[in-house]
Amino acid sequence: MTEEREEFPLDVLFVGGGPANLAGAIRLKKLADEKGLELEVGLIEKGDAIGNHSLSGAILDPIALKELMPDYAEKGCPIEETRLHDRFYYLTQHRKFDVPFTPKFMHNEGCCIISLSRFTRWLGEIAEGMGINIFPGFAGTRVLFGEDGRSVTGVGTGDKGIDKNGKKKATYEPGVDLTARVTIFGEGPRGSLIRQVDEKLEIFSKTMPQVFETAVKEVIELPEDNPFLKGQDTVIHTFGYPLGLDTKGGGFLYRMKDNRISLGLVVGLDYEDPLLEPYQMFLRYKRHPLIAGIIQGGKVLQQGAKTLSIGGYYTMPVLSVNGALFVGDSAAMLNAQRLKGIHTAMKSGMLAAETVISAFEKDDFSLDTLRAYDQKVADSWLNAERYEARNFTQALARKGVVKFMHIGAQYFTKGRGLKDPLSLVEDCATLKKLPKDWKAPEEDSEKPEYDGTLYLDKLTGVYLSGTQHVEDQPCHLIVHNTDICETLCYEEYRNPCTRFCPAQVYEMVEETPGERRLVLNPSNCLHCKTCEIKDPYKNITWTCPEGGGGPKYSIV
Ligand code: SF4
C-alpha cells in the first residue's frame, strides 16, 4: 500500500482541530499576512467536521481569545452565558453544604460559558475563511521522520476502505503523506501521534507521569418554567458525593442558552477501587437531591465523555523538537486548579505560531530556532498561572487531612506548599487488587434505573453522542494479550475495562462457567482514551480508527 501514497507538501501542518491548533492557525495566518509571507498551511482533524470531537465543561476565560481576536463578539463568537454567578457546594449523599469561601482560583469574573463544539466550529470557519486548508475526516496515523530519525517531517494519514481483515475494499483510498517544514501537534489528551514522537525522541522522559481525569457530560434541556433558568446562579461546582473525598474529581452544572444546562462529573483516573464505574458515578450524581431538583422534567439532548490531562506544569513534555512543536492538552497545558484549559491551549497555539513565523524568517526549522517556543511559554501568563498550580493535582491525589494540608499550604505560598515538587503516580498503577475470595454481591442496592429521557444507560448515551464508525474496518483498540484479560485481570480486578469505559466497548462474556472471552464493540468508542490510560497491565493501545468516525458533538 505504501507505494500508492501521495505526498502533499505544506509549509505548516497542524494536527488536530481543537482550540489550541485553531487559535495557532489563525494567529499564524495573521502574522504571515502582516509580514508578507505566503505560507501553505493545513490542518487535519480526525472527526467528520471541526467541533465533532470537542467536548469540555466549558467555562472560557477569554484572555487568549481577546489577544487573538479583540472583535470576537462582532465576529459572532457563540457564547452561551456571560453572567457568571458561582456556587460551590460540598455534597454528602443526601445533603449539600454551601462552601462560604470560594478559592480565588475558582473565581469566574469576566469568563463566559460556551459549548466547546460550537466554539471550535466557529474558530474553524474563521480559519478556513483566512485561507487555511482544513481537512476534516483525516486521521493522522503515522509520524514521518527525516532520514536522521531525529526530525519530524510531517504526518501520514490512515488509509480508508480497509476491511476488518486488513484487505482493501472497493472503497479503498490510500492515505497521504502530509509533509511540512513545521508540524504542530495539538491532538488533545493522550495523543496517539505524540506517543510515537515520544518513543523516538523521548519528549516525556524527564517529566512526571501524565495523569488524567475522565469527564462524562450531558447537555440537558429543561422545561421553560424551571426555576434554575430564572435564578441568579449560573455556575455550580461540587465536591464530595458520589466520589467521596479520597477520589479526585467533582461535578459541574452550567447554564446555557435555550433553556439548556451543561452537567458533568469528572473522575480522577488515579482512583483505587477496581469496581468504580465513572459512568454510574455520574448517574448517582444526577440523582443527588441538589442536582435531581434542578434537572427534574428535563431531557438529555447530547452526551459525551472525554479525558482531561490534569498533571500540569511538572508533566509538561519538551515542547519543541527538530521540525515540530507541541501545544494544548497534548502538552499538558490545562490548569487543573482553575478547572480550565481552553485559554491555555489557545495561548500555547498562538505562541507556537509566533515561533513558526520567526523560523520562516530565518529559514531554519531546527530545534535551534524552534526551542524559542519553550522560552515564549516560560515567559507568558500561560506559565505564570500554571506554575502557581504546579503541585495542585499532586495534592488532590493525597488522602484525608494530608490532602487539605497540602492544598492549604500551596494556597498561601503561591503553589510551593509543603514540598515542591510533590510526586505523582501513573493512573494505571493505582488500582487495588480485590481479595482472592471476592464475590459480587447478589443484589446491588444502588442498581441504576434508566428512563431513556433523563437517566440513560450507556448505549443510549452513545446514541446521543452521535458516534458512528465504519463497522468493517480493522479494530482500532489493540488488546495486546487477551489471556491477561481472561485470567489475571479477571481474578485480580474483575476486568475494570468493562466499567471504566463510558461506552460499553469492553464486555467479558462467560458462555460456559469459567470460560471467559473478551468481546469488543469498537464502533461505540467515544475516543476518550480512558482504556489506554487506566488499564492496570498497560494491555490496551488506542489507535486512530478510519478518519471521520467517532462522536458528532454539536452542543456539548
Ligand atoms: Fe474511551 Fe477506550 Fe471506551 Fe473508546 S474504548 S470510549 S477510548 S474507554
Side-chain angles (χ1 to χ4, degrees):
M1 278 170 237
T2 42
E3 71 281 3
E4 296 172 69
R5 295 180 75 88
E6 257 183 61
E7 190 176 313
F8 194 102
L10 293 160
D11 292 308
V12 185
L13 170 65
F14 288 88
V15 181
N21 267 352
L22 288 165
I26 291 169
R27 180 93 180 119
L28 181 77
K29 198 73 176 123
K30 263 193 193 165
L31 290 173
D33 289 350
E34 278 167 27
K35 292 182 184 282
L37 288 168
E38 282 200 18
L39 300 182
E40 201 62 48
V41 183
L43 183 149
I44 57 168
E45 159 58 36
K46 67 182 167 60
D48 208 16
I50 296 290
N52 277 8
H53 289 188
S54 296
L55 176 143
S56 159
I59 294 183
L60 172 72
D61 178 340
I63 176 170
L65 179 61
K66 284 180 184 165
E67 289 176 17
L68 180 71
M69 218 186 295
D71 56 347
Y72 64 92
E74 293 77 44
K75 286 201 159 82
C77 178
I79 288 174
E80 299 289 324
E81 178 65 79
T82 51
R83 215 172 42 79
L84 267 57
H85 189 270
D86 293 74
R87 297 299 287 264
F88 189 32
Y89 293 110
Y90 167 65
L91 304 184
T92 61
Q93 187 169 0
H94 301 293
R95 299 184 62 191
K96 67 173 199 297
F97 296 89
D98 214 335
V99 179
F101 161 69
T102 305
K104 62 181 180 211
F105 43 79
M106 287 188 69
H107 290 179
N108 285 312
E109 291 91 18
C111 297
C112 49
I113 297 169
I114 58 166
S115 145
L116 189 62
S117 48
R118 278 185 174 167
F119 181 70
T120 46
R121 194 159 288 132
W122 171 75
L123 284 176
E125 283 162 14
I126 289 178
E128 199 156 27
M130 293 172 79
I132 290 151
N133 302 295
I134 302 220
F135 304 109
F138 280 80
T141 55
R142 205 163 49 97
V143 178
L144 306 175
F145 291 96
E147 280 173 13
D148 61 358
R150 310 282 312 159
S151 343
V152 174
T153 57
V155 160
T157 66
D159 297 341
K160 293 185 177 182
I162 302 284
D163 75 12
K164 56 174 67 149
N165 300 312
K167 297 225 164 59
K168 291 177 191 174
K169 297 188 279 190
T171 53
Y172 173 70
E173 277 175 44
V176 287
D177 284 348
L178 296 157
T179 57
R181 316 291 295 275
V182 189
T183 304
I184 300 176
F185 291 87
E187 300 174 273
R190 194 73 168 206
S192 44
L193 293 174
I194 204 170
R195 186 179 60 219
Q196 293 179 23
V197 177
D198 183 48
E199 278 161 13
K200 200 120 190 168
L201 305 178
E202 300 183 336
I203 58 173
F204 286 104
S205 65
K206 296 203 172 81
T207 69
M208 285 190 189
Q210 305 298 296
V211 291
F212 301 87
E213 286 177 337
T214 289
V216 183
K217 182 192 168 184
E218 289 174 344
V219 170
I220 300 176
E221 187 176 59
L222 299 180
E224 257 175 50
D225 57 353
N226 184 297
F228 182 75
L229 299 172
K230 311 271 178 304
Q232 187 192 20
D233 301 335
T234 51
V235 174
I236 293 176
H237 285 117
T238 67
F239 69 108
Y241 185 82
L243 298 173
L245 291 177
D246 281 348
T247 301
K248 278 206 295 276
F252 62 86
L253 190 155
Y254 306 148
R255 193 158 82 193
M256 298 172 76
K257 275 186 190 159
D258 303 327
N259 303 338
R260 293 168 180 175
I261 57 149
S262 152
L263 176 72
L265 183 78
V266 290
V267 180
L269 289 182
D270 60 344
Y271 66 82
E272 294 180 347
D273 179 1
L275 303 175
L276 187 146
E277 184 159 3
Y279 188 88
Q280 293 304 339
M281 289 288 126
F282 176 57
L283 289 185
R284 276 186 207 174
Y285 181 60
K286 288 175 72 174
R287 291 188 186 280
H288 185 276
L290 169 70
I291 305 300
I294 294 173
I295 63 176
Q296 196 178 18
K299 178 180 177 210
V300 178
L301 300 179
Q302 206 160 84
Q303 192 191 83
K306 196 185 165 201
T307 45
L308 301 90
S309 171
I310 55 159
Y313 184 81
Y314 286 128
T315 65
M316 190 167 61
V318 169
L319 295 177
S320 46
V321 297
N322 287 304
L325 301 171
F326 310 104
V327 300
D329 272 8
S330 282
M333 290 290 171
L334 183 139
N335 182 347
Q337 194 179 47
R338 291 190 67 203
L339 311 171
K340 289 180 185 59
I342 303 169
H343 67 301
T344 49
M346 290 176 75
K347 181 67 177 176
S348 67
M350 289 154 66
L351 294 173
E354 290 163 22
T355 311
V356 170
I357 290 291
S358 306
F360 274 96
E361 285 177 326
K362 287 189 194 166
D363 196 25
D364 177 9
F365 308 94
S366 71
L367 183 55
D368 287 345
T369 299
L370 294 183
R371 70 159 56 95
Y373 169 55
D374 301 52
Q375 196 56 47
K376 282 179 191 290
V377 170
D379 293 342
S380 80
W381 57 255
L382 160 61
N383 233 32
E385 71 162 71
R386 289 168 67 249
Y387 187 67
E388 199 162 333
R390 64 195 179 279
N391 288 306
F392 184 73
T393 295
Q394 293 90 319
L396 288 185
R398 268 54 187 180
K399 308 268 179 264
V401 73
V402 176
K403 179 200 304 262
F404 294 100
M405 283 167 61
H406 279 295
I407 292 174
Q410 288 170 19
Y411 196 76
F412 295 106
T413 56
K414 291 191 174 295
R416 181 173 50 77
L418 302 174
K419 188 164 183 241
D420 184 16
L422 258 183
S423 60
L424 269 178
V425 178
E426 220 178 344
D427 294 325
C428 62
T430 59
L431 285 184
K432 289 210 168 21
K433 290 178 185 163
L434 292 165
K436 282 206 169 7
D437 55 354
W438 185 86
K439 289 217 170 19
E442 300 256 310
E443 271 292 318
D444 184 352
S445 57
E446 294 200 59
K447 202 165 171 232
E449 285 173 22
Y450 309 112
D451 63 7
T453 305
L454 188 56
Y455 297 97
L456 310 178
D457 60 33
K458 283 187 184 177
L459 293 183
T460 310
V462 170
Y463 173 74
L464 288 183
S465 71
T467 297
Q468 280 180 347
H469 291 89
V470 174
E471 291 280 342
D472 188 13
Q473 64 170 304
C475 182
H476 70 282
L477 300 155
I478 316 294
V479 181
H480 299 281
N481 183 349
T482 52
D483 285 349
I484 291 180
C485 312
E486 287 151 14
T487 56
L488 198 60
C489 186
Y490 176 82
E491 284 152 21
E492 295 187 329
Y493 303 107
R494 287 295 190 279
N495 303 115
C497 61
T498 60
R499 289 178 289 280
F500 57 57
C501 171
Q504 211 169 307
V505 170
Y506 299 90
E507 290 183 284
M508 187 56 76
V509 295
E510 193 167 344
E511 279 144 5
T512 46
E515 296 274 314
R516 286 174 285 275
R517 189 165 56 88
L518 183 70
V519 174
L520 300 185
N521 308 299
S523 52
N524 290 356
C525 180
L526 299 168
H527 298 203
C528 74
K529 323 267 180 80
T530 305
C531 49
E532 181 176 296
I533 295 164
K534 189 61 182 167
D535 182 69
Y537 304 96
K538 298 193 179 182
N539 195 22
I540 301 173
T541 301
W542 189 94
T543 64
C544 221
E546 189 171 303
K552 286 191 172 48
Y553 301 136
S554 60
I555 48 173
V556 291

